[in-house]
Amino acid sequence: MVGYEADGRLVLSNGVIKAPEIVVGLGATASSTGLWEMAGGTVNVSSNFLVGANSAVGQVMITGGSTGIGQAAARRCVADGAAVLIADVNEAAGQKTAADLAASGGKAFFMKVDVTKAAEVNAAVAEVVKRYGRLDGAFNNAGIDGGFANTVKMTEEAFDRCIDVNLKGVWLCMKHEIRAMQARGSMGDTIRRLLTGFTSTTCAAPTSQMRI
């Protein structure tokens, strides 16, 4: 298990990644304590991972936050003092997660959001800003398993759905999140995303550009 120190150096310590910036590999699952458990170690996820190691705890949007890794991240961020929007299509689980976090004294609310729909993503970001005045970080965690099939037998519908959620959804979220960050004049925050089942972390500053 490998992570990064605050100064960018890789670190491995008894199978535990302690850095605020991490890369998570295959097989990650959420534990009841709000940590990510993996074979050989535990990944400790804090609000620093979402809003920057040197940033004050702020307002965070987590997609796919109703269950699993997203839920664990939400628990930890709330425990750190962050205000969290749980954005997910799983309404029942999302409402329960938000209610549980609020009952424990945390700041959390749920919105049903389909990350493939620009209007819904924009509305979610706008609601965070409306409630808390700003958006400081985001965990674009929502993702689906597109299934496994012979290349010839894979349907176009299944392929499109996977790309829409796992790729387009991340882009849409970053687009609107970065816009909100730019509006408050911060240039140093980062947005990170993890797709369950992939070794993948991407970061984008509010001034980032993309090429397709």
Side-chain angles (χ1 to χ4, degrees):
M1 299 302 302
V2 179
Y4 298 100
E5 287 286 13
D7 61 2
R9 290 182 294 112
L10 293 174
V11 62
L12 173 63
S13 177
N14 298 322
V16 179
I17 297 175
K18 299 184 293 183
E21 300 177 78
I22 58 177
V23 176
V24 180
L26 297 172
T29 58
S31 73
S32 59
T33 59
L35 304 178
W36 293 347
E37 295 181 341
M38 304 186 68
T42 300
V43 180
N44 191 341
V45 184
S46 73
S47 59
N48 285 343
F49 171 64
L50 299 171
V51 301
N54 298 317
S55 300
V57 172
Q59 290 61 242
V60 175
M61 174 173 165
I62 300 178
T63 65
S66 293
T67 59
I69 293 172
Q71 184 188 68
R75 288 198 196 107
R76 180 54 192 266
C77 287
V78 166
D80 287 345
V84 176
L85 161 60
I86 297 168
D88 206 313
V89 294
N90 188 337
E91 190 167 6
Q95 293 282 14
K96 184 179 186 305
T97 297
D100 289 345
L101 292 173
S104 68
K107 292 181 180 180
F109 71 100
F110 171 79
M111 284 186 68
K112 186 175 181 180
V113 178
D114 181 344
V115 296
T116 70
K117 307 295 185 185
E120 294 187 22
V121 172
N122 186 44
V125 172
E127 185 62 25
V128 174
V129 175
K130 178 182 176 181
R131 291 191 183 212
Y132 304 125
R134 57 193 284 165
L135 176 68
D136 295 302
F139 184 30
N140 297 317
N141 164 75
I144 62 171
D145 181 356
F148 185 80
N150 180 281
T151 300
V152 175
K153 294 181 179 179
M154 174 68 72
T155 67
E156 185 175 353
E157 291 76 15
F159 180 87
D160 286 346
R161 178 60 179 164
C162 187
I163 293 298
D164 280 350
V165 175
N166 295 350
L167 183 59
K168 178 185 175 182
V170 172
W171 165 68
L172 279 176
C173 288
M174 293 179 70
K175 176 178 180 175
H176 292 284
E177 290 156 356
I178 291 171
R179 182 177 292 161
M181 291 178 180
Q182 288 175 327
R184 67 178 175 79
S186 173
M187 308 304 285
D189 291 298
T190 57
I191 299 172
R192 311 174 192 280
R193 62 94 170 167
L194 170 77
L195 299 182
T196 305
F198 292 83
T199 305
S200 182
T201 300
T202 64
C203 307
T207 53
S208 67
Q209 298 180 14
M210 66 180 292
R211 180 176 182 176
I212 57 174

